[in-house]
Amino acid sequence: MQIEKIDLRGYGSLRGRTFDFGPRINVISGYNEAGKSTLMRAIEVLLYGHFRDSERWDGATTLFQFEPWAGGQYGGTISLLLASGERYRIERRFDSERTKVFRDPGAEDVTEEYHPGPHGWVDFIDRHLGLSPAVFRASACIRQHDLVLCREGV
């Protein structure tokens, strides 16, 4: 699975921002408080929702932590390319706990195929990626504090 694009209408300090990703490794860098960690969390919740592991909701403790600082719509869209060549878009509205899944091109609403449940839960990522949120976090990104530095560099 490849993340192709993220459109954030509002998530923490990030509002009205679009991020395009390439097919290989993508590096996100910036100054302190630029929104790098917020973007990483947004990727996770756009994929999984505010769920700790599959269907176990974690929103009670995290949902309001990333409400848009400047107000407005709370959510965004993530566009994905699967290994099969199929393209999908997951649209999440955290303020209304609503999730839609679209097959692209054509924007065919296929949400019902992914067993929508409470708090915007759908089994799209469980079905297509097969990784829990914890495994995704551990394998999809390397954070600065995960790097080991020595005299010669990384």
Side-chain angles (χ1 to χ4, degrees):
M1 181 188 80
Q2 175 191 332
I3 298 171
E4 294 187 307
K5 183 178 185 177
I6 293 177
D7 289 309
L8 291 175
R9 290 187 229 27
Y11 195 80
S13 62
L14 303 174
R15 183 170 182 226
R17 298 282 306 270
T18 299
F19 301 91
D20 293 302
F21 296 90
R24 302 208 187 271
I25 294 174
N26 291 270
V27 176
I28 299 168
S29 64
Y31 295 107
N32 288 340
E33 301 300 317
K36 302 176 299 295
S37 296
T38 302
L39 176 59
M40 294 309 301
R41 177 68 179 156
I43 291 170
E44 183 182 340
V45 298
L46 286 171
L47 290 171
Y48 292 95
H50 286 280
F51 292 87
R52 184 168 299 165
D53 273 310
S54 293
E55 297 181 50
R56 201 168 83 192
W57 194 59
D58 194 31
T61 56
T62 62
L63 183 62
F64 302 106
Q65 182 180 357
F66 289 98
E67 282 185 326
W69 293 1
Q73 189 178 3
Y74 182 18
T77 304
I78 188 166
S79 299
L80 306 167
L81 173 63
L82 302 183
S84 65
E86 293 179 288
R87 284 189 157 80
Y88 288 88
R89 204 166 16 97
I90 302 172
E91 179 181 291
R92 294 195 187 262
R93 291 281 310 262
F94 300 117
D95 45 8
S96 61
E97 296 185 352
R98 183 177 58 90
T99 301
K100 292 282 191 182
V101 180
F102 299 96
R103 183 179 294 123
D104 286 327
E108 176 188 359
D109 186 344
V110 294
T111 307
E112 290 302 317
E113 294 177 22
Y114 295 99
H115 308 102
H119 308 295
W121 183 82
V122 291
D123 71 352
F124 180 89
I125 291 300
D126 296 286
R127 194 182 307 177
H128 290 291
L129 189 58
L131 299 177
S132 71
V135 172
F136 176 80
R137 277 190 303 275
S139 60
C141 68
I142 300 169
R143 297 177 187 266
Q144 183 178 354
H145 66 273
D146 294 330
L147 296 174
V148 176
L149 300 176
C150 60
R151 288 184 182 185
E152 292 80 30
V154 178

